[in-house]
């Protein structure tokens, strides 16, 4: 089982409450609020839009990079970063300048609860984070118990349309689909997020095809393949809420409930 890679780059082994926090990705912003650090946030990344209060934060990062000089000027006690998502060179520079950086790189669903507890150590009190982590584990366990004996359902998850990108069996959020008994038709891809063709999807015969609400009408491309694809023939083309699914936060449970609902619907059809 893959361990959760949360790296805390600090010379000290103990953590202490902080007063100024910067988040460099939407999911670490959500985690900060859930862990009781919301009132400590002074800046965040673009698309940090949950909860509502996050929309008012100054923006210091986006998909192109981070505003290094502005981050330094804000003098944060703690920087929350996305391992692999934020530019390594700039992050190394911040570390060299003495800033404490907390890296998030979830590998399993339970890592979300672990991250809440780790972040809670920086809050004035860990009570909120610990309670959120406990609640998350309880709800996750209930979903696991209710779906562990269900029939596997072959699915294709379309991340983007042009080019058409999907995910491998080890890449986030494949864990959410697996929880519900989903069987990724590209699970064995050597690339984390492979570019695929319509023909490759047809060969693998998914029973259901998922897209996200951020991608608009991307699933319409499959309607012409009604005779070749079971997912199209049975009307199993579903849109998922992208922020729930693609951000590893407590709202991932909402994504799991959504995915499980659709896969259960597929299971009820004549096979």
């Amino acid at each position: 089982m893959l361990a959760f890679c949360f790296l805390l780059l600090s010379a000290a082994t103990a953590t202490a409450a902080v007063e100024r926090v910067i988040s460099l990705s939407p999911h670490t912003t959500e985690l900060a609020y859930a862990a009781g650090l919301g009132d400590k946030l002074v800046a965040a990344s673009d698309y940090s839009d949950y909860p509502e209060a996050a929309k008012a934060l100054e923006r210091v990062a986006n998909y192109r990079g981070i505003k290094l000089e502005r981050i330094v000027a804000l003098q944060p006690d703690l920087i929350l970063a996305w391992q692999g998502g934020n530019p390594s060179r700039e992050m190394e520079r911040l570390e060299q300048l003495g800033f404490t950086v907390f890296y998030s790189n979830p590998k399993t669903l339970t890592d979300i609860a672990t991250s809440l507890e780790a972040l809670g150590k920086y809050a004035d009190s860990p009570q909120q984070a610990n309670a959120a982590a406990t609640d998350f584990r309880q709800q996750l366990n209930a979903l696991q118990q209710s779906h562990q004996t269900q029939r596997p359902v072959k699915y294709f998850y379309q991340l983007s349309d042009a080019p058409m990108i999907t995910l491998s069996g080890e890449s986030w959020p494949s864990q959410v689909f697996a929880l519900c008994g989903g069987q990724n038709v590209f699970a064995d891809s050597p690339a984390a997020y492979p570019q695929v063709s319509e023909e490759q999807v047809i060969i693998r015969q998914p029973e259901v095809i998922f897209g996200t609400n951020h991608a608009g009408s991307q699933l319409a491309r499959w309607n012409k393949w009604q005779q070749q694809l079971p997912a199209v023939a049975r009307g199993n083309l579903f849109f998922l809420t992208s922020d729930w699914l693609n951000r590893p936060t407590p709202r991932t449970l909402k994504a799991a409930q959504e995915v499980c609902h659709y896969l259960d619907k597929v299971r009820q059809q004549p096979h």
Side-chain angles (χ1 to χ4, degrees):
M1 182 178 180
L2 289 174
F4 188 34
C5 182
F6 267 120
L7 301 178
L8 181 59
L9 297 181
S10 174
T13 57
T15 56
V18 296
E19 295 300 325
R20 298 176 64 79
V21 180
I22 289 178
S23 171
L24 301 181
S25 75
H27 91 266
T28 53
T29 301
E30 284 195 38
L31 289 173
Y33 277 98
L37 289 171
D39 62 338
K40 310 295 186 183
L41 282 165
V42 296
S45 67
D46 283 1
Y47 302 107
S48 288
D49 53 10
Y50 187 86
E52 188 69 21
K55 295 179 180 180
L57 294 169
E58 179 182 345
R59 302 315 195 194
V60 292
N62 56 37
Y63 72 93
R64 293 185 297 269
I66 65 175
K67 298 179 181 178
L68 183 63
E69 292 183 2
R70 182 56 184 158
I71 292 171
V72 172
L74 287 170
Q75 286 295 295
D77 303 311
L78 179 67
I79 298 172
L80 310 180
W82 176 20
Q83 181 78 42
N86 294 126
S88 58
R89 181 177 299 178
E90 285 85 347
M91 298 313 303
E92 290 172 3
R93 180 58 178 155
L94 288 170
E95 295 164 22
Q96 291 168 359
L97 291 171
F99 291 102
T100 299
V101 181
F102 182 97
Y103 287 105
S104 171
N105 183 26
K107 298 297 184 184
T108 70
L109 291 168
T110 54
D111 293 339
I112 294 173
T114 303
S115 69
L116 289 170
E117 292 168 335
L119 285 172
K121 296 176 182 178
Y122 292 101
D124 292 334
S125 168
Q127 183 175 356
Q128 179 178 331
N130 291 343
T134 298
D135 181 65
F136 184 90
R137 289 192 180 99
Q138 290 174 345
Q139 292 190 58
L140 179 62
N141 183 65
L143 280 171
Q144 289 172 328
Q145 292 296 320
S146 63
H147 286 83
Q148 62 182 357
T149 60
Q150 297 292 333
R151 175 181 72 83
V153 177
K154 293 172 63 178
Y155 76 90
F156 169 64
Y157 175 43
Q158 186 176 332
L159 271 169
S160 64
D161 193 57
M164 187 157 58
I165 304 293
T166 188
L167 68 160
S168 71
E170 298 297 327
S171 303
W172 192 273
S174 63
Q175 300 87 339
V176 178
F177 296 99
L179 170 69
C180 302
Q183 189 175 70
N184 185 356
V185 296
F186 287 97
D188 59 352
S189 171
Y193 297 96
Q195 181 176 335
V196 299
S197 66
E198 291 179 346
E199 291 73 18
Q200 287 175 302
V201 176
I202 292 169
I203 288 172
R204 286 163 173 77
Q205 293 286 284
E207 297 177 68
V208 56
I209 296 176
F210 291 110
T212 64
N213 55 347
H214 277 184
S217 59
Q218 66 176 8
L219 295 187
R221 73 184 298 159
W222 299 107
N223 291 331
K224 62 185 176 182
W225 301 109
Q226 184 172 2
Q227 301 302 316
Q228 292 83 9
L229 278 171
V232 184
R234 300 170 188 170
N236 297 332
L237 304 178
F238 304 121
F239 284 106
L240 302 172
T241 306
S242 58
D243 288 351
W244 295 353
L245 182 64
N246 296 328
R247 299 179 185 180
T249 74
R251 290 197 297 169
T252 298
L253 288 172
K254 293 181 178 291
Q257 291 164 355
E258 195 172 45
V259 170
C260 288
H261 166 74
Y262 285 127
L263 292 184
D264 286 343
K265 183 177 180 179
V266 173
R267 291 186 181 99
Q268 293 168 6
Q269 299 171 340
H271 187 59

